[in-house]
Amino acid sequence: ADSKEVNDNVEKLRRGESESVRNPEDLPHFRLPTIQSGTEVPAEEASKDVNSSGKKDMPPIGTYVLPHPIWTEEQVNEVKVTHKEPECLVDRLAYRTVRLFRGGFDLLSGFKFGTRNEKKWLNRICFLETVAGVPGMVAAMMRHMTSLRRLQRDQGWIHTLLEEAENERMHLLTALQLKEPSTFFRLCVIGAQGVFVTMFGISYVINAKFCHRFVGYLEEEAVKTYTKCLEDIDQPDGPMKHWQTQAAPDVAIRYWKMKPDSTMRDVILAIRADEAHHRIVNHSLASLRKDEFNPYKPGQ
Amino acid sequence: ADSKEVNDNVEKLRRGESESVRNPEDLPHFRLPTIQSGTEVPAEEASKDVNSSGKKDMPPIGTYVLPHPIWTEEQVNEVKVTHKEPECLVDRLAYRTVRLFRGGFDLLSGFKFGTRNEKKWLNRICFLETVAGVPGMVAAMMRHMTSLRRLQRDQGWIHTLLEEAENERMHLLTALQLKEPSTFFRLCVIGAQGVFVTMFGISYVINAKFCHRFVGYLEEEAVKTYTKCLEDIDQPDGPMKHWQTQAAPDVAIRYWKMKPDSTMRDVILAIRADEAHHRIVNHSLASLRKDEFNPYKPGQ
Ligand SMILES: [Fe+2]
Ligand SMILES: [Fe+2]
Ligand SMILES: [Fe+2]
Ligand SMILES: [Fe+2]
């Protein structure tokens, strides 16, 4: 790759011609929208997503995503609020920490007071999802670095953690289709990420089991939150009843392979099913030894 | 997920029954060995890999890997040592830094002196690959966090960076099949990772373009190194000529889908092709704007 070659390649890439590989058919590994739905995603589709930078020729959000479960109607409706009793000191510590976070957040965000409305819900969802995307990525990086540093295999955990991280980021990008974040909101997000990345990273070095249990309990709260959101949608004069009919954003329809006429209610159901999935995955990982093989297959 | 459910699930997972998903056929996204080769990988295969913890029922290394290019014989043989001329201050800085690193490492590792042999080569390869796995993962994490923090899409870069990181880690795990690391070696690796993760992370925050250019130049050196290794293998009385016939480790045959009778020479050819691929990818990413869509598709 000399200068000319690199420049030619960049030109080609900008025109949308990426380097050819010998057997592209060998590589249906990611959920490309064209492969998945069997129909082309026309370029105009992309520009429908807020945040696609408005360029017509830009591929839509979620063009290359990791495998993830696609829920059936039955599955999204059978999600329950559950609680795993803490069994040891680490468990109890993890649970206390989550309860403390939740209490503090409900108070500081003003979610406890007054009537709930769409603005409050979107604020809450967007903020929580910017935090939710952190643990999976930090844990994946930690295990990757540990594998490199200790000169041993990872035991198949990394892909599950990356899938969780990306899934949470897709929750965020979906919710952002309905929200224009304010400067104050952005500052809160930046601050929260700084604190949480540092704390979670240090905790993961000290005790990875605590961290996975912590995420397990965090996801218990997430399921509670989205269940409450569904109540606000379903009550005859609930504050969110318009989400019964409001169309789902395009990015959500592509990502969860939903029917084209799906609503925001369906989106919240899918997100809740994802959270319930992270709940069992993280509680299970916390109960496995760090050097046990992770039996979750890609997309499970 | 209450306590019982979690414990039941952990039991099930330990027995190798992972949670069923509705349409497992939907998910051939990762290169499962069974899917790839068309033949089952018997459990005994796994135990052939050093570092599989010796358990018979443990899935082999590389069971869940991201898509990555599988090279043809033609492709691995046409790899050339190339150089991209620095074009701006950032490029020059990146190039100087790489040259400095290379010079220092050649000196300190004693690779410049005396005759080269298998021990020296394995030391060098293993050490360099523990470092090579860092940039992709750090860059992927940085872009993931930036997406969460700035509340905007990533533009499809993350998967390419993660693929690079995993590919380098597979290089390491392959080379480790032939090497039993000493305590001194392990200490060097730990020290190097600490320094490099910190430096690369800070650099990525300051100037991501510099970092991708730096990796581009690093991979130029990697191609040089593996080309030299091939010379040592191919010369009639080269110090590594036994790699012409020495069998490739099982993990390599699975990962690069090589013929069963492949040799260590074939492994080095495949690794060199990977490095040449990272070279053009990183030089190209360095020449794109951070907010341009990454046109490399999964596995390309
Ligand atoms: Fe979420
Ligand atoms: Fe979550
Ligand atoms: Fe490498
Ligand atoms: Fe490399």
Side-chain angles (χ1 to χ4, degrees):
Chain A
D2 56 18
S3 298
K4 196 185 157 317
E5 219 182 310
V6 171
N7 290 336
D8 287 355
N9 194 45
V10 169
E11 276 315 302
K12 247 175 49 191
L13 293 173
R14 285 201 171 121
R15 284 199 307 272
E17 304 161 25
S18 67
E19 274 203 343
S20 62
V21 281
R22 214 48 59 135
N23 295 311
E25 312 92 307
D26 277 5
L27 303 165
H29 297 274
F30 279 65
R31 296 180 172 267
L32 296 173
T34 48
I35 292 170
Q36 294 306 314
S37 60
T39 53
E40 293 277 330
V41 175
E44 315 89 72
E45 281 282 302
S47 59
K48 281 199 210 157
D49 291 333
V50 184
N51 212 334
S52 269
S53 311
K55 288 191 200 158
K56 281 254 178 220
D57 56 348
M58 181 165 293
I61 296 176
T63 298
Y64 309 136
V65 293
L66 292 167
H68 60 101
I70 299 299
W71 308 110
T72 61
E73 210 185 311
E74 200 194 331
Q75 285 174 315
V76 297
N77 282 305
E78 74 194 7
V79 171
K80 295 263 173 318
V81 171
T82 62
H83 175 53
K84 186 205 172 299
E85 282 300 323
E87 277 167 36
C88 60
L89 183 65
V90 168
D91 289 5
R92 272 188 294 275
L93 220 62
Y95 187 54
R96 293 253 155 212
T97 314
V98 168
R99 295 300 306 175
L100 195 76
F101 276 28
R102 161 125 209 172
F105 182 63
D106 280 353
L107 202 71
L108 288 175
S109 68
F111 196 77
K112 283 181 84 160
F113 314 110
T115 47
R116 293 188 294 278
N117 54 31
E118 179 165 344
K119 186 159 178 279
K120 276 196 182 176
W121 268 116
L122 284 174
N123 264 327
R124 187 179 185 84
I125 293 173
C126 288
F127 186 84
L128 289 177
E129 297 295 358
T130 67
V131 171
V134 168
M137 182 52 85
V138 170
M141 191 192 71
M142 291 289 181
R143 288 195 68 101
H144 178 83
M145 295 303 171
T146 302
S147 168
L148 294 175
R149 194 173 62 238
R150 299 230 180 120
L151 308 170
Q152 52 190 318
R153 63 179 297 189
D154 162 63
Q155 309 291 0
W157 289 45
I158 292 172
H159 75 90
T160 295
L161 298 166
L162 291 176
E163 285 163 26
E164 180 192 301
E166 185 185 80
N167 179 258
E168 299 288 13
R169 200 164 58 83
M170 290 304 289
H171 293 175
L172 172 65
L173 292 175
T174 299
L176 282 172
Q177 301 295 313
L178 308 185
K179 181 181 161 64
E180 187 64 64
S182 68
T183 308
F184 176 71
F185 183 83
R186 288 177 182 278
L187 287 175
C188 291
V189 166
I190 292 171
Q193 187 182 95
V195 174
F196 190 54
V197 169
T198 312
M199 278 176 39
F200 193 84
I202 293 172
S203 305
Y204 206 88
V205 173
I206 298 173
N207 193 324
K209 184 193 171 73
F210 166 84
C211 291
H212 288 295
R213 190 67 75 207
F214 171 85
V215 177
Y217 285 127
L218 211 59
E219 301 290 3
E220 289 185 3
E221 297 300 325
V223 172
K224 273 189 218 166
T225 298
Y226 285 110
T227 302
K228 190 169 189 177
C229 184
L230 283 167
E231 283 167 21
D232 279 5
I233 293 171
D234 286 342
Q235 267 161 28
D237 42 39
M240 300 300 293
K241 66 173 183 298
H242 58 292
W243 280 11
Q244 280 179 29
T245 47
Q246 185 171 327
D250 292 301
V251 56
I253 290 174
R254 277 194 308 276
Y255 183 69
W256 284 285
K257 293 194 201 179
M258 302 166 98
K259 295 194 199 90
D261 59 347
S262 297
T263 63
M264 273 307 295
R265 183 175 187 279
D266 299 319
V267 173
I268 298 296
L269 278 170
I271 294 181
R272 189 179 66 161
D274 286 341
E275 310 294 13
H277 183 57
H278 304 156
R279 184 176 65 184
I280 182 78
V281 167
N282 277 283
H283 272 320
S284 300
L285 291 181
S287 298
L288 289 169
R289 287 192 325 271
K290 277 192 291 188
D291 61 344
E292 273 184 298
F293 191 78
N294 163 33
Y296 285 104
K297 296 197 180 67
Q300 290 188 340
Chain B
D2 58 16
S3 298
K4 199 185 155 317
E5 216 181 311
V6 171
N7 291 334
D8 288 355
N9 193 44
V10 168
E11 277 315 303
K12 249 177 43 191
L13 293 175
R14 285 199 171 121
R15 285 200 306 275
E17 302 161 26
S18 67
E19 276 203 342
S20 62
V21 279
R22 215 46 60 135
N23 295 313
E25 313 92 304
D26 276 4
L27 302 164
H29 297 273
F30 278 64
R31 295 177 173 270
L32 296 173
T34 48
I35 292 171
Q36 293 307 314
S37 61
T39 54
E40 292 277 332
V41 175
E44 314 92 71
E45 282 280 304
S47 58
K48 281 198 209 160
D49 291 332
V50 184
N51 211 332
S52 269
S53 312
K55 288 189 199 159
K56 281 251 181 223
D57 57 348
M58 181 163 295
I61 296 175
T63 297
Y64 309 136
V65 293
L66 293 167
H68 60 100
I70 300 298
W71 308 110
T72 61
E73 211 185 309
E74 199 195 331
Q75 285 175 316
V76 297
N77 282 305
E78 73 194 8
V79 171
K80 295 261 174 317
V81 171
T82 61
H83 175 53
K84 186 206 171 302
E85 282 300 323
E87 278 167 37
C88 59
L89 183 67
V90 168
D91 288 7
R92 272 188 294 273
L93 219 62
Y95 186 54
R96 294 255 155 208
T97 314
V98 168
R99 295 300 304 174
L100 195 76
F101 274 28
R102 162 122 209 176
F105 181 64
D106 281 353
L107 201 74
L108 289 174
S109 69
F111 197 76
K112 282 182 81 160
F113 315 111
T115 48
R116 294 187 294 276
N117 54 32
E118 178 164 346
K119 186 159 177 280
K120 277 195 184 177
W121 269 116
L122 284 174
N123 264 326
R124 186 181 186 80
I125 293 173
C126 287
F127 185 84
L128 289 177
E129 297 294 358
T130 66
V131 171
V134 169
M137 184 51 87
V138 171
M141 191 193 68
M142 290 290 181
R143 287 195 68 102
H144 179 83
M145 295 304 170
T146 301
S147 169
L148 294 175
R149 194 174 62 239
R150 299 232 182 120
L151 310 170
Q152 50 187 258
R153 62 179 298 190
D154 162 63
Q155 308 292 0
W157 289 46
I158 292 172
H159 75 89
T160 295
L161 299 166
L162 291 175
E163 285 164 26
E164 179 192 302
E166 184 184 80
N167 179 259
E168 298 289 12
R169 199 163 61 83
M170 291 304 290
H171 293 174
L172 172 65
L173 293 174
T174 299
L176 281 171
Q177 301 295 314
L178 307 184
K179 181 181 164 63
E180 188 63 66
S182 68
T183 308
F184 176 71
F185 184 83
R186 287 178 182 279
L187 288 175
C188 290
V189 165
I190 293 171
Q193 187 180 94
V195 173
F196 190 54
V197 169
T198 313
M199 276 176 38
F200 193 84
I202 294 172
S203 305
Y204 207 88
V205 173
I206 298 174
N207 193 324
K209 182 192 170 73
F210 167 83
C211 291
H212 289 295
R213 189 67 74 207
F214 171 85
V215 177
Y217 285 126
L218 211 60
E219 301 290 2
E220 288 185 3
E221 297 300 325
V223 171
K224 274 189 216 166
T225 298
Y226 284 111
T227 301
K228 191 169 188 177
C229 183
L230 284 166
E231 282 166 22
D232 279 5
I233 294 171
D234 286 341
Q235 266 161 27
D237 42 40
M240 300 300 292
K241 65 174 183 295
H242 57 293
W243 279 11
Q244 280 178 31
T245 48
Q246 186 173 326
D250 291 301
V251 56
I253 290 173
R254 276 194 308 276
Y255 183 69
W256 284 284
K257 295 195 199 174
M258 302 166 99
K259 296 194 198 88
D261 60 348
S262 296
T263 63
M264 272 308 293
R265 183 174 187 278
D266 299 320
V267 173
I268 298 296
L269 278 170
I271 294 181
R272 189 180 64 162
D274 286 341
E275 309 295 13
H277 182 58
H278 304 156
R279 186 176 63 185
I280 182 78
V281 167
N282 278 282
H283 272 320
S284 300
L285 292 182
S287 298
L288 288 171
R289 288 193 322 272
K290 278 193 290 190
D291 62 344
E292 272 184 298
F293 191 78
N294 162 33
Y296 285 102
K297 297 197 179 66
Q300 291 189 337

